[in-house]
Amino acid sequence: MNDKPNVTYITFGGHVELQKYRFLYFAMTFSVYVLILCSNSTILCLIWVRRSLHQPMYVFIAALLCNSLLLSTNVYPKLLIDLLSDVQITSHLACRIQALIYYSLCGSEFLLLAAMAYDRYVSICKPLQYQAVMRKRTVTALLVLAWLLPSCQLVPSLILGDGFRLCKFTLNGIFCNNAVTKLSCMTSAGPYIIYGVFILVNTIFVPLAFILFTYCKILVISYRRGSDVRKRAMQTCAPHLLVLVSFSCLCSYDVIIARLDIDLPKAARSIMTLQVVLYQPLFNPIIYGLKMKEIHKHLKRLFSRSRICVCVALINN
């Protein structure tokens, strides 16, 4: 399938069982993508416009929602095109770039959650030092580190991938993830496994350990300081913990499906591989919109004004 010289194309095998109802799947996927764009963008714009939300905690929430938008946009547009196409193909290089962006943004999610945990730790455990520690420069540095570190660590995988010849040209999925490495002819997978473990430790296990340690410290100190501190800690930390638990479970699921040869129907496998870009981008704005008091208050005002505007427009017509 080489229409251009020196370009290797691969086929997505996961679309075979989706072709019969592809227009239905297209409508459902398009609706989900629009919902993701609208829900995340609404809270993003709200944080941007409202001066009372220009605080480190809300800046990190905005960064997390922005990360969800980028993660979804990396997958959904190509997926929607493939659902309407008779042949679902992509170049091997484009596939590896999509996988790199996908896992880079997943790593960024964990690092952003770690930055949020640090922000909550300073706010609750060292309130008098909060303004001095969480300055604009510190917040910017944490955001840049969260987005650059995973991508810089994953770039060598593109160079490593060029050294392997392809033995298979059909990817068992509907978008490019870690399963793309199984298409290569590897005489020895040892270096690649060591490199993968290094990435996992740096971008997932270290941030997870830091987050758990930080929230344990917050729990201990809040219980020592009385009910008011405990209530404040629960109100601000609970949404972050819910997002962390859900995202960790979804990422674990994704790794298992991508790497292990589990005998599943292709339609079921395809839906399961989409879970990270399906549930999490929808889950984040719901959690932060409902559980964060300030965001919820501004959202209620926004929707009440929208209802009034709609009613006035209907009356005038």
Side-chain angles (χ1 to χ4, degrees):
M1 301 187 69
N2 288 353
D3 297 331
K4 298 178 183 178
N6 302 321
V7 178
T8 305
Y9 290 95
I10 58 175
T11 307
F12 292 107
H15 284 273
V16 175
E17 291 184 11
L18 304 181
Q19 285 299 295
K20 188 176 179 181
Y21 303 104
R22 61 177 178 168
F23 294 111
L24 174 62
Y25 286 122
F26 174 84
M28 290 168 61
T29 306
F30 182 75
S31 301
V32 168
Y33 185 46
V34 169
L35 188 59
I36 288 169
L37 291 176
C38 292
S39 57
N40 285 275
S41 298
T42 300
I43 298 179
L44 264 173
C45 292
L46 201 63
I47 294 170
W48 178 274
V49 170
R50 298 293 177 184
R51 281 191 170 273
S52 61
L53 300 179
H54 291 183
Q55 300 172 27
M57 179 174 68
Y58 299 110
V59 171
F60 288 127
I61 289 172
L64 201 70
L65 298 177
C66 183
N67 200 69
S68 294
L69 285 174
L70 293 171
L71 189 63
S72 303
T73 303
N74 181 51
V75 174
Y76 281 102
K78 169 64 175 161
L79 178 59
L80 288 167
I81 292 167
D82 285 340
L83 285 169
L84 293 180
S85 303
D86 294 323
V87 180
Q88 297 78 32
I89 63 168
T90 187
S91 71
H92 184 227
L93 178 61
C95 190
R96 286 190 290 127
I97 290 172
Q98 186 185 44
L100 182 144
I101 295 170
Y102 175 74
Y103 287 109
S104 174
L105 292 171
C106 286
S108 294
E109 187 105 357
F110 280 107
L111 290 174
L112 286 169
L113 288 167
M116 293 164 86
Y118 177 67
D119 172 73
R120 292 299 82 210
Y121 169 74
V122 178
S123 175
I124 294 165
C125 302
K126 300 180 180 181
L128 297 178
Q129 300 176 33
Y130 185 75
Q131 294 297 329
V133 174
M134 297 305 295
R135 293 176 297 176
K136 187 177 180 180
R137 186 180 297 177
T138 307
V139 173
T140 304
L142 289 171
L143 290 175
V144 170
L145 187 68
W147 271 313
L148 281 185
L149 184 62
S151 56
C152 289
Q153 289 182 334
L154 284 166
V155 164
S157 65
L158 286 176
I159 302 166
L160 278 172
D162 283 333
F164 299 116
R165 186 172 57 85
L166 289 184
C167 286
K168 300 175 185 176
F169 295 90
T170 302
L171 185 74
N172 193 14
I174 55 175
F175 72 95
C176 298
N177 54 16
N178 205 28
V180 71
T181 59
K182 296 166 73 175
L183 303 178
S184 303
C185 309
M186 294 187 190
T187 53
S188 174
Y192 198 87
I193 291 170
I194 293 168
Y195 171 69
V197 170
F198 172 76
I199 298 296
L200 278 173
V201 169
N202 275 358
T203 56
I204 296 177
F205 293 123
V206 170
L208 267 178
F210 176 78
I211 291 166
L212 293 174
F213 172 77
T214 303
Y215 282 121
C216 285
K217 290 279 287 183
I218 290 171
L219 187 66
V220 170
I221 290 172
S222 62
Y223 266 87
R224 285 177 183 170
R225 292 185 179 174
S227 59
D228 289 340
V229 178
R230 281 201 301 271
K231 186 179 178 182
R232 178 168 161 247
M234 283 300 297
Q235 282 178 345
T236 58
C237 295
H240 305 327
L241 285 170
L242 281 171
V243 170
L244 173 68
V245 170
S246 68
F247 191 69
S248 300
C249 293
L250 290 171
C251 282
S252 303
Y253 218 46
D254 176 72
V255 170
I256 291 168
I257 296 300
R259 293 303 300 165
L260 300 182
D261 291 320
I262 301 172
D263 187 18
L264 289 171
K266 286 185 178 179
R269 178 183 285 271
S270 300
I271 293 167
M272 289 169 79
T273 55
L274 270 177
Q275 288 190 91
V276 171
V277 289
L278 175 63
Y279 296 126
Q280 200 65 20
L282 288 172
F283 188 64
N284 285 352
I286 292 170
I287 287 296
Y288 289 119
L290 294 176
K291 294 294 183 181
M292 300 302 289
K293 190 176 178 181
E294 281 297 310
I295 294 176
H296 183 64
K297 181 178 73 177
H298 286 298
L299 279 174
K300 280 180 72 176
R301 286 178 185 172
L302 178 68
F303 288 125
S304 63
R305 286 175 185 174
S306 299
R307 280 200 297 269
I308 291 168
C309 290
V310 169
C311 290
V312 169
L314 289 172
I315 290 167
N316 289 335
N317 289 335

